[in-house]
Amino acid sequence: MSTAINPVPSLEAQAVVSVVSEIPDSTQSVGVLVGSDGAVASSLGFDRDRLNALGFTGAVGETLVIPPSNGPITVVVGIGDGLTDLRSVGAAFARASGKLTDLALDLTALPGSVDDPSVAEAVVEGVLLSRYHYPVLKNEAPGAPVERLTLVGSGAASAGAERGRVLARATALARDLANTPHSHLSATRFSEIAIELGPRFGVDVEVFEPEALVEMKMAGLLAINAGSAEEARLIKLSYRPEGAAGSLALVGKGLMYDSGGLSLKPSDAVHAQMKNDMSGAAAVFAAMLSLGDLGCTTSVTGYLACTDNMPSGTATALGDVITYRDGTTVEMLDTDAEGRVVMADTLILAREQGVDAVVDIATLTGSAMRALGSDIAALFANNDAIAAQVEAASENSGESVWRLPLHKPYRQAIDSLTADMMNCAPIGKPDAIIASLFLSHFVGDVPWAHIDMCGPAQADSATGLQVPGCSGWGARVLAHIALGFTPPAS
Ligand code: MN
Ligand code: MN
């Protein structure tokens, strides 16, 4: 089992981001923003007719590179009608700059940008994340991350640029962790990384090993871990700002690798992506490491239930019944429906802790992916106020969610002859909803939202700030939930 690689290279390769009034001499690539109509910056030396003749219409994401004989290149970047999809604007500029690492972009051409920090935030995220790659196991680097980004703008842009830098770092960290193959990132290794990095970012870390997990009756985590040669770990993260205004628990699914267990998955491309089945835990971890730098005033506890799911002679059998810490019994109909089984333990812990609300995030069901595709995560909630806070955070982070119903009549599909519930319904039922109903049992009446990020966990192409591979989805939306959190009435 190798642990020699660095699973979090993005933390060492952090970009310097600043807001100034003039472009510095070191800049290698200067972005000039041009809309689909209106004035064209005179610094370009081109008018709109000339741009049109070159095929440049000013649509969002369109670019035109003008390389001089010496000095920085100019990249004309389309912004459409002005303030839509600024992450794609930043991403288009960064991609058109190739492997150049010192970039500058004048924001003053954007209408209203001077007073709106969220503009700089979105542009910075687009620039930095579109140039991300996972370099650790490749002998030749496929690209170069941006090292310096200078924005020309006002003081108001500075706060947004800094927030964008921190949130891009969080997303890159989540991408690093999800992209790291299984043999390099076991539950134990993840817990070591948490212990190493947590205190550096103002987060206390407690790790619970198998003996403690038995004592705590973490029945789901232990049942799913039963077939594995690797031990399970429960990682508890605590962010406790002075004079906190409310308390929130974040629960992440941490399946370091999901083979399906005895309900073994077929050997196909989807199975080969299952190192990403800890993307929920990675998002919680990365979001929590950003809270101190973002000045978050909510008290946040993270619960990461980490294990792999393997078939062997000691694996949990189908038809087995497990008994949870709160007394609930569950019959295992299918060991590939393992995420909800593992997360139930931590939802019980969060409920017992007495927090104001719980938000969980998981690569939970193919059903959610089939319903909403790879751009949108499914949202479920037992409380409209917390659902609205997740939706608002999603608007701010640019990570889309769509609320689906927690339709209680479907609960009977997981009635069991021998236990209180089965862990899933027979094939053909709406599994995203049924999984949510299963999870909702364990939070009781605590305000709770569940984000099923199975679709957006993986990106197929370089689109907007996405690059192919694990997307790091969710780190930003969780950070925004914590930043904007108000205790909902239960
Ligand atoms: Mn599974
Ligand atoms: Mn899974």
Side-chain angles (χ1 to χ4, degrees):
M1 193 87 6
S2 166
T3 54
I5 69 164
N6 173 13
V8 288
S10 295
L11 286 181
E12 266 95 74
Q14 285 187 53
V16 176
V17 177
S18 57
V19 179
V20 298
S21 53
E22 266 180 51
I23 290 169
D25 292 342
S26 66
T27 301
Q28 298 166 324
S29 174
V30 177
V32 177
L33 303 175
V34 174
S36 44
D37 54 29
V40 172
S42 58
S43 63
L44 208 52
F46 278 29
D47 63 9
R48 187 168 292 279
D49 288 345
R50 179 87 166 128
L51 289 173
N52 285 342
L54 291 165
F56 182 89
T57 67
V60 171
E62 218 174 42
T63 54
L64 179 66
V65 178
I66 306 167
S69 48
N70 55 40
I73 65 164
T74 298
V75 180
V76 191
V77 186
I79 57 171
D81 61 6
L83 287 174
T84 49
D85 204 2
L86 291 162
R87 292 178 178 85
S88 290
V89 168
F93 167 50
R95 284 207 180 91
S97 301
K99 292 186 177 179
L100 301 177
T101 58
D102 192 329
L103 276 49
L105 186 62
D106 187 350
L107 294 185
T108 56
L110 286 168
S113 68
V114 179
D115 302 319
D116 186 352
S118 69
V119 167
E121 177 182 336
V123 168
V124 169
E125 289 173 4
V127 169
L128 299 184
L129 289 169
S130 62
R131 290 275 294 271
Y132 171 94
H133 65 267
Y134 181 72
V136 182
L137 295 165
K138 278 182 90 74
N139 286 305
E140 257 176 68
V146 173
E147 290 171 10
R148 181 180 298 273
L149 172 61
T150 307
L151 300 177
V152 178
S154 74
S158 292
E162 172 60 7
R163 200 160 61 188
R165 182 189 73 80
V166 171
L167 290 169
R169 182 185 72 193
T171 301
L173 172 60
R175 286 180 183 178
D176 284 350
L177 290 165
N179 277 319
T180 304
H182 172 240
S183 70
H184 295 284
L185 189 64
S186 61
T188 302
R189 182 79 180 110
F190 194 5
S191 70
E192 289 165 359
I193 291 165
I195 288 167
E196 184 191 324
L197 294 181
R200 235 171 91 187
F201 292 90
V203 172
D204 291 332
V205 180
E206 274 177 277
V207 174
F208 300 90
E209 300 193 356
E211 207 172 303
L213 299 175
V214 171
E215 186 119 329
M216 294 160 76
K217 299 196 174 81
M218 298 284 100
L221 186 52
L222 290 165
I224 297 307
N225 182 249
S228 180
E230 285 285 348
E231 291 182 352
R233 290 287 185 274
L234 170 64
I235 305 169
K236 183 179 178 187
L237 310 168
S238 302
Y239 171 75
R240 300 282 180 266
E242 296 244 336
S247 62
L248 174 69
L250 300 176
V251 166
K253 171 179 171 182
L255 262 289
M256 311 311 294
Y257 168 66
D258 179 15
S259 74
L262 289 183
S263 308
L264 190 62
K265 290 177 187 291
S267 179
D268 58 18
V270 171
H271 190 158
Q273 286 175 354
M274 281 302 121
K275 65 178 183 181
N276 82 2
D277 211 17
M278 35 59 72
S279 295
V284 171
F285 181 63
M288 286 195 64
L289 261 50
S290 71
L291 297 180
D293 285 339
L294 295 170
C296 177
T297 56
T298 306
S299 172
V300 182
T301 307
Y303 291 98
L304 316 181
C306 300
T307 179
D308 39 22
N309 183 23
M310 290 295 208
S312 80
T314 59
T316 294
L318 278 64
D320 268 355
V321 173
I322 62 171
T323 304
Y324 279 96
R325 176 183 172 86
D326 69 350
T328 304
T329 56
V330 168
E331 178 186 2
M332 305 289 274
L333 183 69
D334 186 327
T335 58
D336 197 15
E338 83 300 333
R340 66 200 75 175
V341 173
V342 163
M343 290 167 74
D345 287 317
T346 42
L347 291 173
I348 296 169
L349 293 181
R351 185 187 72 202
E352 289 176 354
Q353 190 192 337
V355 289
D356 295 323
V358 180
V359 176
D360 80 59
I361 183 165
T363 46
L364 206 64
T365 68
S367 162
M369 179 160 61
R370 285 188 291 277
L372 297 170
S374 59
D375 288 349
I376 307 165
L379 167 65
F380 296 87
N382 65 1
N383 176 293
D384 290 343
I386 190 67
Q389 290 186 42
V390 175
E391 284 167 337
S394 148
E395 280 289 314
N396 288 329
S397 79
E399 296 166 309
S400 301
V401 299
W402 192 260
R403 190 174 176 187
L404 296 177
L406 195 63
H407 186 60
K408 294 204 173 94
Y410 291 167
R411 164 64 182 75
Q412 64 175 4
I414 50 174
D415 283 349
S416 162
L417 288 176
T418 50
D420 297 338
M421 285 192 284
M422 296 191 294
N423 73 321
C424 62
I427 287 169
K429 300 290 182 186
D431 191 39
I433 295 175
I434 285 168
S436 304
L437 289 164
F438 178 91
L439 294 175
S440 73
H441 168 87
F442 296 94
V443 287
D445 54 10
V446 178
W448 160 79
H450 158 60
I451 302 172
D452 190 335
M453 59 168 289
C454 183
Q458 202 75 21
D460 298 330
S461 61
T463 307
L465 54 66
Q466 292 297 357
V467 297
C470 298
S471 66
W473 196 97
R476 300 198 310 280
V477 76
L478 293 176
H480 276 287
I481 291 167
L483 284 174
F485 183 68
T486 323
S490 51

